[in-house]
Amino acid sequence: MTERGFTVRALGEIAIRCIDLDAMVAFYRDVIGLEPLGDPDNGRIVFFRIAEGFGGHTAVLALFRHDIEGAGHTKAGAVPPVTGSGSSLHHIALSLPWEEQDAVIEWYEKLGRDYTIEAFDWVGWRGVFTFDPDGNTVELVAKNPQWSESSSPSPELATR
C-alpha cells in the first residue's frame, strides 16, 4: 500500500464515444466475440463483458453514442469524435491465450478483415491488430508461454 492508501488492481472499463454505434456494437459482438450486458439495441449505451475483473466489478467495454452525456458528467459532443492518428486513443488491447491467436488470424481471414501481426520480443507478447468501424486500432494480444526474461532484448532497444 502507498501513502495514498489505495492501489489500482485492474482496468474496470474502457468507454468509447462512437461515430456509428450500431456498427461498433456489431463489430465487438460479432467479430471480436464480446458478450453484451443488457440490451445491445437500446441505441444509446451498450456494455460488453470483457472478463471477471477485480473485486466484483466486471471488466467491460462501454460504447456510447457520441451525442449523449456519459457517466462522470462526461459531456456529449454534437460533432463525431476524431479517430486514428487524430485521436488521443492509441489502441485498445484485449488479452487472450497464446494458443488462440492462430484462431484469431483464421477468423479474420475468413471474414476478409485487414490485420497485422506484431511481436514485442522484449516482453514476450504478440499482437494481432485490426480496426473497428470507427477507425480505432484493436489488438488481440497474448504472451508466449515459452518466453523468458533471460532470452529477451532489453526494453530500451525494443519499440512498441
Side-chain angles (χ1 to χ4, degrees), residues 83-158:
T83 62
S85 63
S87 170
S88 62
L89 175 66
H90 188 274
H91 73 281
I92 300 164
L94 302 170
S95 300
L96 47 72
W98 179 263
E99 56 274 3
E100 292 181 15
Q101 278 198 326
D102 288 341
V104 171
I105 295 163
E106 290 172 19
W107 179 240
Y108 287 174
E109 289 283 338
K110 180 178 179 179
L111 296 176
R113 292 202 64 78
D114 288 334
Y115 67 90
T116 58
I117 301 168
E118 197 166 337
F120 305 99
D121 294 333
W122 65 280
V123 287
W125 300 341
R126 180 176 65 188
V128 182
F129 293 84
T130 193
F131 296 96
D132 71 20
D134 277 2
N136 300 301
T137 303
V138 179
E139 175 188 14
L140 297 182
V141 65
K143 184 161 187 165
N144 182 342
Q146 305 302 314
W147 181 85
S148 73
E149 242 180 276
S150 62
S151 65
S152 69
S154 75
E156 306 86 58
L157 302 177

